[in-house]
Amino acid sequence: MGSNDLQKQAPNIVVWVLLLALPLWLPYVGGYMELGSRVVVLALAAMALNFLLGYTGVLSFGHAAYFGLGAYGAGMTIRYLVPSTGVGLLVGTLVGAVAGAIIGPMIIRLRGVYFAMVTIAFAQVFYFIAFRWNSVTGGDDGLTGWTRLPIHLGFTTIDILHNPVAFYFLVLAVFAVAVGVMAWLLRSPFGRTLIAIRENERRARFLGIPVDQHIWISWTISCAVVSVAGALYALLNNFVDPRALYWTQSGDFVIMAVLGGMRSFWGPLIGAAIFVVLQDYLSSQTENWMSFVGLFFVLVVMFFPRGILGIIRRKVAS
Amino acid sequence: MTLLRVENLSKHFGNLIAVDGVSMTVEPGELRAVIGPNGAGKTTFFNMISGFLTQTSGKIVFDNKDISNLLPARRVWRGIARTFQITEVFPELSVRENLRVAVEVAAGLRLSPWLSAARDRGIRARIDELLGMGGLAAKADRLVGEMSHGDQRACEIMMALALKPRLLLLDEPTAGMGDQETYDITQLIRRLHRDEKLTIVLIEHDMRVVFHLADRILVLAEGKMLAEGTPKEIAANEAVQAAYLGKVAA
Ligand SMILES: Nc1ncnc2c1ncn2[C@@H]1O[C@H](COP(=O)(O)OP(=O)(O)O)[C@@H](O)[C@H]1O
Ligand SMILES: [Mg+2]
């Protein structure tokens, strides 16, 4: 590996070492394991959103729909159908991905703020269904009466229910696969067509790229990954409620991506970490914690349009 | 055999008739210029041929097939590539990355999640070939958005060329350029026409360029065909002189 390759790989190495060693260092900075899992789960959601926002140039303000579908899909599967964490994860992911794939063709022709608005509208539809359909979803009280279950591997059993470190590593393993797939795609010819669309849709079209089709694929991948995150989120909380589908949840994903830096692959992870830690700390100090997060967000966007990671990158470069 | 046949093409924008019943045939290997004063409808004419706009009436036949109602990407697949009056490139990517997108799409890899090492070597070789042809080899790793106007235009032309088009449409390739850049681009177009035997239709303002390059010229004015012929015939045409060349000389 040349020094150039090493420089390119350095951020990846740092991120993976920090994530893998999290159970070792987190207690020393006052964190606890559930908080770590929460950061990784929400980071996955923000990175999924950013596949679309940062790398295709399409802003969705309704990703909570697929996050929530993943969460309900996982929770309801375990509650009603199959008492298995793995099956719940799988079904949750499929539900969100299929919903995204079906809704996609109805919205991919829209651009900019129109696209964002229609994604919100669809998300609100799912929100009201979850809210109203009491008998199945538990309505406003949420879906209770189930928990994630230990994973049986034949030769051994991993108790992800009672062992937070074991659960963290399950989350991290799923995160690694999903993030790996996205990184792989972004470095492929297909991924380059997405970046081309972000850079200049007209040029992309007149190179013979059927732009709407490529946006649909990107959208569907993004929805699939965000529903993986949603399913993990349900497992993390042993609970789902309609707030997972609410538009403010979509907004949180956008904030995380923009805060961390949507032009960098790991930016949304940084954004999610800051968001979750601020939320955890501030919400114990004040009712108005969201105002502080909002203020912080506005300051970053005003002074550092490329996000937190954008600042760090510039420091390293200079 | 005719490559492109445009029949009675018109475009209305509300009350404005931007293009009014224009016909044109282009033979393989021809270099055709379309000229006319500002607002004559030249760009609109190109926009309809490339599928950027839908015609109000008329027909576009390419390689004996009616393409009048095909989406832009499908016309590209048939072999029509274009550049724009205001250069359209990927500004935050390097020249090499710009060309890579075009070369990979041309190789049918647009949906591919994977590129084998052998395939990648072929792609790289093709990019290098295009970089050399466009005089961009020394600037290959610069961001296109940070380059001079002339270099951006050369990059855009090479991207169109990467598609191995059968017909290349160039909308004012030398617009807004200095003498040296105009000369370089003119030489590039001439090479493509002579050496690559490419069929080209270009809109051009600079009369030196037009008379230097074109086999035949189509003159538009206020959306209508004013004249059509060889550069010599056009230069001698009184209506053209009155409507257009006179204005330039004045
Ligand atoms: N999208 C559009 N909507 C309305 N009017 C247009 C549009 N595009 C071009 N026009 C009008 O059509 C006429 C021809 O424009 P254009 O084809 O750009 O001319 P040229 O390229 O010869 O300078 C102009 O009057 C212009 O204002
Ligand atoms: Mg024009």
Side-chain angles (χ1 to χ4, degrees):
Chain A
M1 211 177 347
S3 70
N4 209 5
D5 289 341
L6 196 64
Q7 207 167 7
K8 267 193 201 154
Q9 290 301 324
N12 299 334
I13 295 168
V14 170
V15 166
W16 285 116
V17 167
L18 284 177
L19 287 176
L20 282 166
L22 191 84
L24 299 178
W25 61 264
L26 193 60
Y28 292 100
V29 295
Y32 49 99
M33 238 27 248
E34 283 79 6
L35 193 70
S37 297
R38 200 176 152 81
V39 166
V40 173
V41 168
L42 292 176
L44 183 58
M47 289 176 82
L49 175 87
N50 203 46
F51 188 82
L52 196 61
L53 175 62
Y55 291 96
T56 317
V58 176
L59 171 61
S60 163
F61 231 99
H63 258 41
Y66 313 95
F67 184 76
L69 283 172
Y72 275 103
M76 285 161 71
T77 300
I78 295 173
R79 169 96 165 70
Y80 298 119
L81 300 175
V82 189
S84 156
T85 299
V87 176
L89 253 178
L90 208 65
V91 173
T93 303
L94 277 177
V95 169
V98 169
I102 291 170
I103 289 169
M106 299 181 241
I107 62 177
I108 42 156
R109 300 199 148 203
L110 301 170
R111 291 291 180 273
V113 70
Y114 300 101
F115 183 89
M117 305 265 282
V118 175
T119 55
I120 297 180
F122 273 105
Q124 289 302 87
V125 171
F126 289 113
Y127 171 77
F128 280 111
I129 292 172
F131 195 87
R132 287 287 162 88
W133 199 11
N134 254 317
S135 56
V136 177
T137 63
D140 198 19
D141 296 332
L143 184 71
T144 51
W146 63 281
T147 64
R148 57 180 187 260
L149 299 161
I151 295 177
H152 303 286
L153 291 177
F155 59 95
T156 180
T157 296
I158 307 172
D159 187 6
I160 56 165
L161 180 56
H162 299 104
N163 180 347
V165 174
F167 180 66
Y168 172 78
F169 278 108
L170 171 72
V171 168
L172 194 60
V174 176
F175 174 85
V177 172
V179 161
V181 168
M182 290 195 293
W184 174 274
L185 284 174
L186 288 175
R187 297 179 53 186
S188 73
F190 172 69
R192 283 188 278 272
T193 69
L194 300 183
I195 292 165
I197 291 167
R198 174 195 80 193
E199 283 290 300
N200 185 338
E201 182 178 335
R202 181 176 297 175
R203 182 27 83 202
R205 202 180 284 282
F206 283 93
L207 287 180
I209 298 169
V211 169
D212 291 348
Q213 182 194 37
H214 284 234
I215 291 179
W216 175 72
I217 298 172
S218 174
W219 157 264
T220 303
I221 292 166
S222 176
C223 288
V225 176
V226 86
S227 56
V228 175
L232 288 173
Y233 192 68
L235 297 177
L236 171 67
N237 298 321
N238 293 312
F239 175 72
V240 198
D241 77 6
R243 279 176 304 168
L245 289 156
Y246 201 51
W247 66 270
T248 54
Q249 183 64 64
S250 301
D252 288 351
F253 298 149
V254 176
I255 289 176
M256 289 171 201
V258 175
L259 194 61
M262 58 186 201
R263 283 297 165 85
S264 32
F265 188 70
W266 294 115
L269 170 67
I270 310 284
I274 292 169
F275 188 95
V276 170
V277 170
L278 271 184
Q279 182 182 38
D280 188 62
Y281 174 71
L282 290 174
S283 61
S284 65
Q285 308 287 318
T286 161
E287 287 261 297
N288 287 327
W289 66 272
M290 195 60 209
S291 327
F292 288 93
V293 174
L295 185 68
F296 185 66
F297 175 69
V298 169
L299 287 176
V300 168
V301 171
M302 277 176 67
F303 294 105
F304 309 104
R306 299 219 141 193
I308 305 271
L309 214 55
I311 312 170
I312 298 171
R313 266 198 191 160
R314 212 164 37 187
K315 282 263 159 61
V316 170
S318 64
Chain B
M1 193 203 73
T2 300
L3 184 63
L4 175 72
R5 197 169 72 242
V6 176
E7 294 173 11
N8 240 323
L9 205 59
S10 297
K11 180 71 188 179
H12 300 194
F13 294 113
N15 287 330
L16 177 79
I17 302 178
V19 174
D20 190 1
V22 175
S23 300
M24 173 178 87
T25 58
V26 178
E27 305 301 324
E30 183 177 345
L31 196 155
R32 166 72 58 115
V34 178
I35 65 171
N38 251 327
K42 305 180 297 291
T43 295
T44 305
F45 185 57
F46 260 33
N47 284 346
M48 289 188 282
I49 296 172
S50 62
F52 188 63
L53 289 174
T54 307
Q55 63 281 354
T56 306
S57 62
K59 196 164 139 185
I60 304 154
V61 180
F62 182 70
D63 193 21
N64 283 326
K65 287 179 199 82
D66 188 343
I67 60 161
S68 314
N69 297 310
L70 291 186
L71 290 172
R74 295 196 167 269
R75 297 189 202 202
V76 175
W77 300 348
R78 297 275 171 108
I80 303 179
R82 74 169 289 180
T83 64
F84 290 82
Q85 188 165 350
I86 297 167
T87 312
E88 301 278 7
V89 286
F90 305 128
E92 289 194 34
L93 305 184
S94 68
V95 181
R96 198 184 289 282
E97 289 164 331
N98 267 263
L99 289 173
R100 180 177 270 273
V101 175
V103 170
E104 286 178 348
V105 170
L109 296 168
R110 66 181 176 85
L111 290 171
S112 171
W114 190 64
L115 192 60
S116 72
R119 210 80 200 265
D120 192 48
R121 272 195 297 280
I123 300 281
R124 280 169 197 272
R126 174 76 175 138
I127 294 170
D128 287 337
E129 184 189 351
L130 289 162
L131 284 169
M133 212 190 294
L136 293 165
K139 300 160 186 161
D141 294 311
R142 296 209 17 218
L143 294 188
V144 172
E146 292 172 358
M147 294 199 308
S148 75
H149 198 70
D151 286 339
Q152 294 195 13
R153 180 47 57 93
C155 177
E156 193 193 24
I157 293 175
M158 297 327 288
M159 284 166 89
L161 210 66
L163 304 173
K164 301 203 171 132
R166 301 168 64 202
L167 172 66
L168 181 61
L169 306 173
L170 303 172
D171 193 348
E172 302 210 20
T174 69
M177 285 185 193
D179 282 347
Q180 183 59 44
E181 286 182 329
T182 299
Y183 177 80
D184 291 342
I185 293 284
T186 308
Q187 290 305 311
L188 172 61
I189 295 169
R190 189 209 244 318
R191 281 201 304 276
L192 298 181
H193 177 48
R194 280 221 183 134
D195 305 343
E196 312 285 317
K197 308 282 180 255
L198 201 61
T199 313
I200 299 173
V201 180
L202 79 122
I203 296 173
E204 186 48 72
H205 243 89
D206 191 322
M207 284 306 126
R208 292 169 305 172
V209 175
V210 170
F211 285 99
H212 187 65
L213 286 176
D215 299 318
R216 291 182 77 78
I217 299 174
L218 169 70
V219 189
L220 297 184
E222 293 174 3
K224 292 193 182 65
M225 270 170 76
L226 192 66
E228 213 254 295
T230 62
K232 269 209 183 101
E233 290 163 3
I234 296 300
N237 186 308
E238 282 175 17
V240 174
Q241 282 172 0
Y244 187 68
L245 298 178
K247 265 192 214 162
V248 170

